[in-house]
Amino acid sequence: MMSRSYTNLLDLASGNFPVTLREKKRLPRVMTVAGVISELDDDQANSVSSDVPSSVVQDRVIIVANQLPVKAKRRPDNKGWNFSWDDDSLLLQLKDGLPEDIEVIYVGSLRVDVDVEEQDDVSQVLLERFKSVPAFLPPDIHNKFYHGFCKNHLWPLFHYMLPFSASHGGRFDRSLWEAYVAANKIFSQRVIEVINPEDDYVWIHDYHLMVLPTFLRRRFVKLRMGFFLHCPFPSSELYRTLPVREEILKALLNADLIGFHTFDYARHFLSCCSRMMGLEYKSKRGYIGLEYYGRTVGIKIMPVGVHRGQIESVLRYAEKERRVQELKQQFEGMTVLLGVDDMDIFKGVNLKLLAMEQMLKLHSKWLGRAVLVQIVNPARGRGRDLEEMQAEIHTSCNRINETFGKPGYQPIIVIDRPVTLSERVAYYAIAECVVVTAVRDGMNLMPYEYILCREEASVSDSGSTSSGQKKSMLVVSEFLGCSPSLSGAIRSNPWNIESTAEAMNEAVSMADVEKQLRHEKHYRYVSTHDVTYWSRSFFQDLERTCKDHFRRHCWGIGLGFGFRVVALDPSFRKLSIDAIVSAFSRAKSRAILLDYDGTVMPQASINKAPSHAVISIINQLCGDSKNTVFLVSGRGRDNLGTWFSPCKKLGIAAEHGYFIRWPSEDEWQVCGQSSDYGWIHIAEPIMKLYAEATDGSYIETKESALVWHHSDADLGFGSTQAKEMLDHLESVLANEPVAVKSGQYIVEVKPEGVSKGLVADKIFTRMAESGNQADFVLCVGDDRSDEDMFEIIGSAISSGILSSNTSVYACTVGQKPSKAKYYLDDTTEVITMLEALAEASDSSPSIQIDCGTRKTGHEKVLCSCGKILTEGNHTLETGLCGWESYVSFVYRGLSRKKTAVPGSCDQCTAFQCSFYLECCRRMHQQQA
């Protein structure tokens, strides 16, 4: 088996993923993928297609984690290795919750170092006997990856510890990040060697492999992939301090389903997506999802459980070996409190010892009767902080035992060595109470194990009043991942020593009947929400999230960790400018409906007035007698009327259609059903109250509506206030002739019977009644209010207002769920499309003078303001008795046609030359 290393890790962090050097030997593939094997080593972003034939029909799950669920031990003769399953591994246990007919492949590293010359043989044995594919990390990368970036950066930050100084937490080291990327890259290569992208699911576990989804998604855009985080996810205020925050966040979003133990962890992740990337989650029928470039990334909230069968089996073995009875004799007459924790700075072990000390001080009745057995598992990481914590624990233990101990009695017993599951289960069986004081912990399954052991123990604890009574007590930190599911536990703040001490006293002093009721409540939950339930639930949600993968059109775009997949429904596609121009040219009667903000004007623009280019394009469209062009906006009529005053033939619907000005008309029509504005006196004080309470928000007062804007407010608080305001206004305005709507960063109160959909219906109806039924419809918008226009088009066709042969182009701006069938990415593409339609429009004059006059020459082409635009060949055409003419000219091979209106400089769109001036003189003479 080859070892892999990188010559330039800086390329990895910047997104330029190099091809690693390989030896000739390779791990035999579990399946085959059509194509050349060497192509699997090419990491170019364009190699993302997963449309390859499968040679395996059976679905498989590839479970990827930092470590394989396999134990490895070198043989006594130092010749080869002995391998066995690690029964304590969650990865092995979760297999029992997956469908029986599904094959499971494991990808991960071993806990031991394997020489390079042995790696091929080890890989072959693990694949054949354990269906496991080992990822061998070079020692330098492994050290920086695991002990460096994972344990020095991610683990402390995800447990709410910031690197305030070089000596406290350490500074960010980019070389460690590069090693993290390199390690994830190696894991991806091992997955790619065995994957069948059409039939396999990939389930990635924990913070060690958070950028792995990007590596896999770059290669297979339709791969079905889930990720589960087994540690806390910090609040956005902490996570945003991470220098590579966006890279990790974007990598996670390349998974299809992201799992968390608690809603708090999921909420923090969603907050980061909202604040950093502008993504808002939606909850539908109990499922939470994030819309990300057309894909719905599912969010799963499900705490993991324990393997009930394993615990019961180990407990029976411990009883058979009489280990439980030995412990009962050792602690006869004592009330045992138990703690089982890893040696970690976040487990709060010393806080637990101090709480025990405080309990003995405050409740002397427990002197000589209560003992705390603290099992401390070996540390997984290393560093000065751990060494200081270990020294502090032993110092506290010695001090407390010296103060309260006596011959034959020590209130604190610390077991600082590896403890087997069998021995741990024996301690569970005799413990009256389990205490967990972690200051931050992802899940911690120890309370679940304790509850099962107390239920299954064949002999009741010392002091029970009934031999058949089952009881257990828990004192757990409120910062524990399992705390929300243990509603019968006594929760405490571990930082409050006195409070924790009182909780411990309450737990051991509680009446047996109460203990039994709490135990029964916990047991019902733990016995039904075990590890098989957790894995089955996650896999079912992964299947549901990915069910449309192979039906949708997907494209991979972006470089490095900016890579993402754009997924579109087959019926929802990008608007082709060539196609719409072709349909536009064939049409004889066209209706063009345009939203303003977010469609022809970018939302982020501070100056909301249209540019000269937009005015020119709209004038060109309006100049074609076949076109009926309408601007349909939520803005007030004063602004729209002023901005588009040069566009005389443009129709405008202001305030969502409450006011309408038809093309070539000066008067505004009021289209609202009611002229009663008494509701304003009710709504305005409420909206002002929210505006004052929400910094960055403001109220826009229109003639017919009130709009509360919160785009400049804090994203989370503004959204919360908007929902609250919506409920508040709906309740107080229930009997008023108004509608309360929420939109993109707004809450609006407007009269009933006013919508953009009704505007569209009026336009289509008026065109049909005038004998000019539209055979081409273009409708473009970007927000919820525009969906009414998209929806009305279908009903207009069914009612006969529009012909069934009408070419319809309903187009939304941005890739998002919509009733439109087409999309354009942004306002720039909208303008480009409109410009193409304007070029295809026939802007030749309908009023002409002097039929047949035609002159050609070579002169300077001037703007009416006198500025020379260009020089070139041009042709002036005039016709019969009218006031308009146009100049078509050819300059450097580019043919253009512009309308020139005598006596006006339409923002530098009118052209003048000597022929044009002659034309004007002749028109004036004829008029006279």
Side-chain angles (χ1 to χ4, degrees):
M1 189 67 187
M2 59 284 180
S3 64
R4 306 168 186 178
S5 62
Y6 293 101
T7 58
N8 189 353
L9 295 180
L10 288 175
D11 287 340
L12 294 172
S14 63
N16 300 319
F17 305 115
V19 178
T20 56
L21 298 176
R22 298 176 181 270
E23 296 182 8
K24 293 182 178 180
K25 292 184 179 180
R26 295 182 60 91
L27 172 71
R29 297 183 61 84
V30 177
M31 46 70 61
T32 59
V33 177
V36 182
I37 292 295
S38 61
E39 291 176 353
L40 294 173
D41 302 328
D42 178 14
D43 283 328
Q44 298 301 318
N46 56 6
S47 300
V48 294
S49 174
S50 62
D51 298 328
V52 292
S54 168
S55 62
V56 182
V57 177
Q58 181 186 19
D59 282 347
R60 302 186 309 174
V61 177
I62 299 177
I63 297 176
V64 194
N66 179 43
Q67 293 183 337
L68 290 170
V70 175
K71 295 179 180 179
K73 186 178 181 181
R74 187 168 285 280
R75 291 172 183 167
D77 58 3
N78 206 31
K79 295 180 180 179
W81 296 84
N82 290 324
F83 300 101
S84 62
W85 287 115
D86 182 0
D87 294 330
D88 295 340
S89 173
L90 177 69
L91 304 180
L92 184 63
Q93 296 170 1
L94 67 81
K95 182 179 179 180
D96 292 345
L98 300 176
E100 292 183 0
D101 60 342
I102 208 161
E103 182 183 4
V104 177
I105 305 290
Y106 294 101
V107 176
S109 62
L110 292 168
R111 295 178 177 86
V112 296
D113 294 328
V114 179
D115 294 336
V116 174
E117 56 271 15
E118 295 181 294
Q119 289 178 3
D120 276 342
D121 294 335
V122 168
S123 297
Q124 191 69 32
V125 171
L126 289 176
L127 180 61
E128 293 176 355
R129 292 178 51 194
F130 298 92
K131 293 186 178 179
S132 297
V133 180
F136 298 108
L137 303 180
D140 57 332
I141 289 182
H142 178 267
N143 187 57
K144 291 182 177 180
F145 155 69
Y146 184 77
H147 296 290
F149 194 75
C150 289
K151 288 301 181 181
N152 283 349
H153 288 315
L154 291 181
W155 182 258
L157 180 66
F158 280 31
H159 288 77
Y160 287 65
M161 178 179 168
L162 290 174
F164 290 111
S165 66
S167 60
H168 182 75
R171 296 300 187 201
F172 179 79
D173 186 343
R174 187 157 292 275
S175 68
L176 302 183
W177 161 247
E178 292 160 1
Y180 182 82
V181 174
N184 277 252
K185 171 73 172 181
I186 294 174
F187 277 90
S188 74
Q189 292 168 338
R190 306 303 285 135
V191 173
I192 289 171
E193 287 178 348
V194 296
I195 196 171
N196 182 343
E198 284 193 342
D199 297 326
D200 293 350
Y201 292 86
V202 177
W203 187 355
I204 304 168
H205 290 265
D206 222 2
Y207 67 100
H208 313 90
L209 303 174
M210 288 197 293
V211 299
L212 179 57
T214 287
F215 286 107
L216 296 178
R217 188 66 71 191
R218 281 169 62 88
R219 188 59 63 90
F220 309 112
V221 294
K222 294 184 179 182
L223 181 63
R224 298 173 291 186
M225 178 166 45
F227 179 92
F228 199 94
L229 185 67
H230 292 274
C231 69
F233 195 93
S235 67
S236 62
E237 287 77 12
L238 275 79
Y239 180 78
R240 284 184 291 167
T241 64
L242 186 63
V244 289
R245 58 189 187 178
E246 291 188 4
E247 289 88 334
I248 291 178
L249 207 59
K250 290 177 180 178
L252 288 175
L253 289 171
N254 275 319
D256 296 302
L257 182 66
I258 306 174
F260 301 91
H261 285 306
T262 71
F263 175 70
D264 274 349
Y265 305 158
R267 177 169 55 87
H268 294 158
F269 174 78
L270 294 171
S271 177
C272 290
C273 292
S274 173
R275 292 177 179 273
M276 294 170 53
M277 304 182 66
L279 302 177
E280 296 295 333
Y281 75 90
K282 294 182 180 179
S283 181
K284 184 178 181 181
R285 296 180 179 177
Y287 298 106
I288 299 175
L290 280 167
E291 291 297 327
Y292 186 60
Y293 290 96
R295 296 171 50 241
T296 299
V297 180
I299 304 298
K300 176 71 171 178
I301 302 169
M302 174 65 70
V304 69
V306 296
H307 196 289
R308 181 178 173 183
Q310 182 198 28
I311 298 295
E312 294 172 354
S313 175
V314 172
L315 179 60
R316 287 193 295 269
Y317 175 78
E319 291 175 344
K320 182 179 179 180
E321 296 296 317
R322 302 191 58 80
R323 181 56 179 157
V324 175
Q325 194 62 30
E326 290 174 3
L327 291 177
K328 284 182 175 293
Q329 293 175 358
Q330 179 181 347
F331 295 104
E332 187 176 2
M334 297 285 182
T335 297
V336 178
L337 294 90
L338 178 65
V340 181
D341 301 278
D342 294 338
M343 177 55 71
D344 190 282
I345 59 176
F346 301 108
K347 299 301 182 181
V349 175
N350 195 53
L351 296 176
K352 189 187 307 180
L353 301 185
L354 297 178
M356 182 65 180
E357 180 183 29
Q358 187 70 13
M359 186 185 83
L360 296 176
K361 287 181 180 177
L362 297 177
H363 304 280
S364 57
K365 65 179 181 179
W366 295 112
L367 286 172
R369 295 176 50 204
V371 59
L372 172 64
V373 178
Q374 177 62 54
I375 298 174
V376 182
N377 298 319
R380 298 182 185 179
R382 61 194 182 194
R384 191 178 65 182
D385 290 339
L386 280 173
E387 294 172 0
E388 292 176 352
M389 178 63 64
Q390 195 166 16
E392 185 180 350
I393 290 172
H394 287 290
T395 301
S396 297
C397 176
N398 294 333
R399 188 190 71 253
I400 296 171
N401 284 337
E402 290 175 2
T403 304
F404 299 100
K406 59 184 180 181
Y409 170 71
Q410 284 186 327
I412 305 289
I413 298 177
V414 174
I415 303 175
D416 190 4
R417 58 173 174 79
V419 174
T420 63
L421 178 60
S422 176
E423 187 176 1
R424 190 167 79 237
V425 162
Y427 276 103
Y428 288 149
I430 61 100
E432 186 72 16
C433 174
V434 155
V435 184
V436 186
T437 55
V439 296
R440 187 69 60 178
D441 208 348
M443 187 59 195
N444 200 318
L445 296 177
M446 192 262 288
Y448 290 0
E449 295 176 348
Y450 169 65
I451 291 165
L452 285 178
C453 288
R454 294 290 287 179
E455 175 69 21
E456 300 299 331
S458 59
V459 181
S460 63
D461 294 342
S462 177
S464 295
T465 58
S466 171
S467 60
Q469 196 175 58
K470 309 295 182 183
K471 53 189 176 65
S472 62
M473 280 306 300
L474 292 167
V475 175
V476 298
S477 164
E478 61 189 57
F479 305 114
L480 210 60
C482 65
S483 177
S485 62
L486 299 172
S487 56
I490 301 176
R491 300 188 182 97
S492 70
N493 176 5
W495 298 103
N496 189 333
I497 304 301
E498 292 77 11
S499 173
T500 305
E502 289 299 334
M504 293 165 65
N505 175 66
E506 180 185 356
V508 293
S509 302
M510 190 175 291
D512 286 347
V513 174
E514 178 69 16
K515 291 179 182 179
Q516 184 177 5
L517 291 174
R518 290 174 183 250
H519 168 78
E520 291 173 353
K521 184 176 185 180
H522 288 158
Y523 180 74
R524 282 195 298 271
Y525 176 84
V526 174
S527 60
T528 54
H529 292 72
D530 58 2
V531 67
T532 59
Y533 176 86
W534 168 77
S535 62
R536 180 168 58 250
S537 178
F538 186 91
F539 186 73
Q540 288 173 350
D541 273 16
L542 183 60
E543 286 183 310
R544 177 186 56 80
T545 304
C546 301
K547 62 181 172 54
D548 294 331
H549 265 34
F550 297 101
R551 186 180 64 85
R552 310 186 76 183
H553 298 308
C554 298
W555 293 270
I557 60 175
L559 299 174
F561 287 112
F563 178 84
R564 65 271 188 200
V565 170
V566 176
L568 300 176
D569 192 274
S571 62
F572 184 63
R573 56 191 183 274
K574 190 165 186 176
L575 182 60
S576 166
I577 293 181
D578 291 340
I580 192 173
V581 167
S582 175
F584 180 88
S585 300
R586 294 192 304 269
K588 297 180 180 180
S589 179
R590 313 168 185 129
I592 302 174
L593 282 63
L594 305 173
D595 177 38
Y596 185 65
D597 290 286
T599 301
V600 297
M601 173 59 61
Q603 288 282 6
S605 178
I606 297 177
N607 180 12
K608 296 296 185 180
S611 65
H612 296 324
V614 170
I615 293 292
S616 175
I617 290 171
I618 290 180
N619 265 330
Q620 283 183 265
L621 290 171
C622 294
D624 191 333
S625 60
K626 297 179 181 178
N627 296 343
T628 300
V629 185
F630 252 88
L631 193 71
V632 187
S633 172
R635 285 193 171 272
R637 59 176 173 174
D638 291 340
N639 283 337
L640 295 175
T642 301
W643 291 342
F644 291 94
S645 57
C647 307
K648 302 300 182 183
K649 296 183 180 180
L650 173 68
I652 301 177
E655 300 191 15
H656 299 294
Y658 189 83
F659 299 105
I660 295 182
R661 191 186 74 185
W662 294 95
S664 302
E665 296 183 7
D666 295 329
E667 297 297 324
W668 290 88
Q669 294 182 8
V670 178
C671 300
Q673 298 177 358
S674 173
S675 59
D676 181 11
Y677 292 98
W679 57 268
I680 291 180
H681 301 295
I682 303 173
E684 191 171 28
I686 296 174
M687 299 177 82
K688 284 183 177 179
L689 180 67
Y690 282 89
E692 292 172 1
T694 311
D695 187 39
S697 67
Y698 64 93
I699 298 173
E700 178 189 0
T701 303
K702 301 180 180 179
E703 293 183 69
S704 68
L706 293 175
V707 185
W708 181 70
H709 296 261
H710 61 93
S711 57
D712 295 330
D714 177 87
L715 287 174
F717 185 55
S719 177
T720 300
Q721 291 288 78
K723 293 176 183 177
E724 182 64 28
M725 179 191 287
L726 187 68
D727 292 340
H728 195 167
L729 290 173
E730 284 178 341
S731 63
V732 299
L733 298 173
N735 298 321
E736 300 293 333
V738 295
V740 184
K741 300 289 185 181
S742 63
Q744 192 170 21
Y745 302 117
I746 66 166
V747 174
E748 183 174 19
V749 185
K750 61 182 181 181
E752 284 182 339
V754 175
S755 73
K756 292 185 178 182
L758 294 177
V759 173
D761 186 66
K762 289 179 181 179
I763 295 170
F764 300 148
T765 301
R766 183 161 173 165
M767 293 177 67
E769 290 176 349
S770 64
N772 195 29
Q773 187 182 50
D775 58 0
F776 173 93
V777 173
L778 170 64
C779 183
V780 190
D782 75 304
D783 64 15
R784 295 180 188 175
S785 62
D786 300 307
E787 296 294 318
D788 294 336
M789 289 196 293
F790 304 149
E791 186 177 16
I792 205 68
I793 293 174
S795 59
I797 293 175
S798 60
S799 63
I801 298 175
L802 293 176
S803 169
S804 58
N805 297 323
T806 301
S807 298
V808 176
Y809 293 89
C811 177
T812 188
V813 182
Q815 300 169 29
K816 55 183 180 289
S818 174
K819 295 172 184 175
K821 291 186 177 181
Y822 300 93
Y823 77 92
L824 290 171
D825 286 325
D826 50 34
T827 56
T828 302
E829 291 193 352
V830 174
I831 298 300
T832 301
M833 180 267 296
L834 293 177
E835 192 173 22
L837 297 183
E839 293 290 342
S841 295
D842 182 10
S843 299
S844 57
S846 57
I847 305 175
Q848 302 174 335
I849 66 169
D850 196 4
C851 180
T853 303
R854 180 182 180 90
K855 295 188 177 183
T856 303
H858 180 80
E859 280 198 31
K860 296 178 180 179
V861 180
L862 309 176
C863 175
S864 57
C865 62
K867 179 181 178 182
I868 298 177
L869 297 179
T870 183
E871 293 184 2
N873 294 323
H874 65 273
T875 300
L876 173 71
E877 296 183 3
T878 59
L880 295 173
C881 53
W883 285 90
E884 295 187 354
S885 62
Y886 68 85
V887 179
S888 66
F889 63 92
V890 180
Y891 181 64
R892 292 181 183 173
L894 180 63
S895 178
R896 296 182 181 177
K897 183 162 58 177
K898 296 289 183 181
T899 300
V901 181
S904 70
C905 173
D906 187 9
Q907 295 164 329
C908 299
T909 60
F911 294 89
Q912 292 191 14
C913 63
S914 60
F915 300 117
Y916 173 69
L917 295 176
E918 179 186 350
C919 176
C920 292
R921 179 178 57 78
R922 293 174 60 188
M923 284 192 293
H924 282 288
Q925 287 177 346
Q926 184 173 356
Q927 179 70 12

